[in-house]
Amino acid sequence: MKHILLIALAAVLVTSAHAGISVTLEPNSIGPGESAQLTVTGDSDAGVELPKIAGLKFTPVGQSSQFQSINGAVSMSVSRLYAVTPLKPGNYTIPVCNSWPVTLHVSNTGTAPARSLPAPQTQNRSGDLAFLTLVTPKKSFYVGELVPVEIRAYFRGDVAASLNGLPVISSDAFTMNKPDDKPRQSRELVGGQPYAVVTWMAALSAVKAGEYSLGLQLPVLVRVQERANSRRGGFFDDSFFEDFFGRTVEKPVTLASEPMAAKVLALPAENRPPDFKGAVGRFDVTAAATPAQVAAGDPLTLRVKITGSGNFDRVASDLLASSGDWKTYKSVARFEPEDNVGFQGTKTIEQAIVPTVAGKREVPGLKFSYFDPDTQQYVTRSTAAIPVEVTPGAVAALAPAPIQNPKSQIQNDLAPNRVEPGSFTRTLRPLLLTPWFLMVNLLAWLSVGATLLGLQRRKRRLRDPKRAQMRQAAAMIKEHLSAMESALHRADTVAFFDAARRALQHQLGALWDVPPETITIADINARLNGDAATLRPVFQLADQVAYSGERMNVVDLTQWQKIVTAQLNRLEKP
Amino acid sequence: MKLRFLILAILMGAATARAVSFDEANRAYAEGRYPDAVRGFESVITEKGYSAPVLFNLANAEFHAGQLGRAILNYERARVLAPRDADVAANLAAARAKAGVTAPPTGRLDLVAAWLSLNAWCWIGALAVLGAGAGLVMMSWRGGVSFAPGAWVAVNLTVVAVAACGLWCRLPELRWAIVTAKESPVFVAPVSVTTPLFKLNEGESVRLRRAHGEFVLVTVADGRDGWVKRNELGKITEL
């Protein structure tokens, strides 16, 4: 028995939310007068009502049924085929029941040849768990040519998998633009077996001439179930429980398409127009200048539109260069794609131009050259000259002088002068080298250093247990001195001497590193020897007044306060 | 009262004269009188000091006047004051292309550091030091290391470190100079009686190492070095 068992799960990649029906449209881009085939596949033979879409005509062309028996479960799928014929160009979205809507693009210039992609060769892959196909319209490319391709990943219906990235090309002779993050999802029958199909539209471009092997790779995660190691036996020794107790894990797998032999041709050097800049495809060019009437010195916009299909990143046109009649500025280009891969669309190049001389002028016709891979020839398109009425303007007198020599032509390559002088600085000497800045920084660093040092010292002091004890003792002594003062005012002899004794105990306790309350007259006699003469009476009096109730007047107490304070000061000094 | 009006009138008149000077230089440029434009922009600099637009316009005028070395020098100076100005960078590249010289090699870190001017890095570093100092004082005042002032100090010290990196990357630029002479012979010693080792083209960038009399020892971008006459070079920044 295998350790890893593939489990049957509903395909997570396909339109599971719209279970029961899947819709495919082939091709999804056609020209006027052409038809596309719409296939609606469902699990019952109940009729499907197609939507009514203005501009599209649906004609039923057939029906096929498939019966399958998987693990004893018999299922049926019915596919209905319709011919979709457009009545006018445009983009149509076709929703069928609750399935994922499909989009049909109908161009007004005929189907782009590259869009007529052949059907993928899938029959010999029937039975594979998953496979990847690359559908290209041709196997011979020109360097720089942009070729739309379709990438299809097939996952057998009983395989649970998820994408772990986007398809990548496995040849350094080609580049591929990033496929769409949201690929189209559908279901297909391959050799009678249902497959979930994920389809990306992308575009390839060859970068060097030669013969190469073209292939793709797609990282996926396939969910498999590992059989539990413990042997159960008996009642549980059944495949149902093996599946039930097994652990599902995701295994990374890289799908690779079958390598395809591709030939990349170099662009011919013969008859190459001087203004050719690498555009390969089929293009049309138009030009317009607005407004048609301006004052000399006022700008107008020259707008060149290049539409068609091909490598728009190499589409560029030599716009108007400065001359005696025109002052020109740098052009700005923008591209508006008509598809997801940037193969078809319109590139608009705009240039600000300023007439310097009044009168009836003409914006000269412009040229744009490209290589047509179908006819294998260079093509040069030209625009007509555009008439412009230039009236005398107040600024005309300030217009740049007519360019006298060809060398001045390079002025067009320079950004123009500034009209505002900006803010001034007296020197280009960097601040770093100016004495005042260095001094300020030095002082700042010194103060930072000093503060850091101070913080460190404070931190050390706070962490010193001896100092902490001293601080605590000082606080207690202060508290008892305050109590003495208070007792003095009340002429409370007992409280006065009690506070005095405690203050001295705390001072001595901090000095001797012993608990203050444990210090007695005996300790004082033992430790201070002859110096105890002035301390001993305080302790004796404290005991005496506590037991005898003897009272002293304020004058005496004041005298004792001075004695105690003096003793505390003496003890404080090391 | 009359005296006040007189002073005001003189000040306003002087201001107007200065403004006209810049405009006149621009007008000379627009009319193709490039040597006049060069003189005009130089007089603006002499009178008021350096600014990125004036240096840029001066470089444009020098470019058209055929003084490519000086044009590259002044584009570089404009870039010192306005490091992210795309027009300055574009015109500098155009001038180098026309002169047939290449820019000195720069690393990725240098490109990042070039996003701000040397002075901007100085200010950022100095302010961050002051910020860190203020945070430390606050910590000292509060009597301990608490989170908010501590984080403030840490952020400022990080900024100081970043600014130091920026300065470190940009400091070598202080020693770069541009060859302003049409052709500058490079000698093996600071004397011109010997045969030159090789010659530098107008607009080439060299790194200054040390000076001796009227000569300066320089290293070219390709690693060669030798002595060049001081007056054939223009320093991008003042040292």
Side-chain angles (χ1 to χ4, degrees), chain A residues 398 400-401 410-411 414-421 423-432 437 444-445 448 458, chain B residues 22 26-27 29-30 34 47 49-51 53 56-57 60 63-64 85 87 91 119 123 140 143 171 174 238-239:
Chain A
L398 294 177
I410 204 156
Q411 178 174 349
L414 288 185
N417 270 9
R418 300 283 196 268
V419 292
E420 292 295 333
S423 55
F424 286 92
T425 173
R426 268 286 155 205
T427 175
L428 288 174
R429 189 182 177 85
L431 269 179
L432 196 66
F437 186 80
W445 277 108
V448 166
R458 169 183 280 193
Chain B
F22 178 75
N26 257 349
R27 184 184 290 270
Y29 178 87
Y34 299 120
E47 188 184 348
Y50 300 96
S51 81
F56 177 74
N57 290 6
N60 278 357
F63 180 96
H64 291 302
D85 193 313
D87 286 347
N91 286 11
N119 283 357
W123 277 118
S140 170
L171 274 179
L174 296 177
E238 297 161 23
L239 294 176

Side-chain angles (χ1 to χ4, degrees), chain B residues 37-232:
Chain B
V38 169
R39 278 192 293 276
F41 290 124
E42 281 176 343
S43 73
V44 173
I45 289 172
T46 308
E47 188 184 348
K48 298 190 74 175
Y50 300 96
S51 81
V54 175
L55 285 167
F56 177 74
N57 290 6
L58 171 62
N60 278 357
E62 286 168 338
F63 180 96
H64 291 302
Q67 303 169 14
L68 286 177
R70 290 206 60 80
I72 291 170
L73 173 66
N74 284 310
Y75 284 133
E76 286 281 16
R77 286 175 172 172
R79 210 167 61 147
V80 167
L81 298 177
R84 294 186 306 282
D85 193 313
D87 286 347
V88 174
N91 286 11
L92 175 59
R96 282 209 164 105
K98 192 175 180 185
V101 297
T102 54
T106 48
R108 281 186 183 175
L109 210 56
D110 298 334
L111 290 176
V112 175
W115 196 71
L116 287 176
S117 68
L118 201 62
N119 283 357
W121 285 120
C122 286
W123 277 118
I124 288 172
L127 291 174
V129 169
L130 291 175
L136 286 171
V137 168
M138 192 175 287
M139 283 165 64
S140 170
W141 182 51
R142 286 193 175 187
V145 181
S146 57
F147 178 73
W152 170 255
V153 171
V155 166
N156 276 283
L157 290 179
T158 308
V159 174
V160 170
V162 172
C165 285
L167 281 173
W168 183 256
C169 290
R170 298 216 57 172
L171 274 179
E173 291 176 21
L174 296 177
R175 308 209 63 90
W176 283 98
I178 305 293
V179 177
T180 51
K182 289 290 174 196
E183 202 175 59
S184 180
V186 181
F187 300 98
V188 70
V191 284
S192 55
V193 291
T194 58
T195 309
L197 289 170
F198 56 95
K199 288 179 179 174
L200 293 171
N201 293 322
E202 184 181 19
E204 266 193 81
S205 302
V206 295
R207 192 159 54 83
L208 305 174
R209 287 170 58 188
R210 68 172 188 272
H212 184 273
E214 60 172 330
F215 282 86
V216 184
L217 179 61
V218 300
T219 301
V220 193
D222 61 10
R224 292 179 299 171
D225 49 20
W227 294 88
V228 180
K229 282 189 177 174
R230 188 193 288 259
N231 61 0
E232 292 172 349

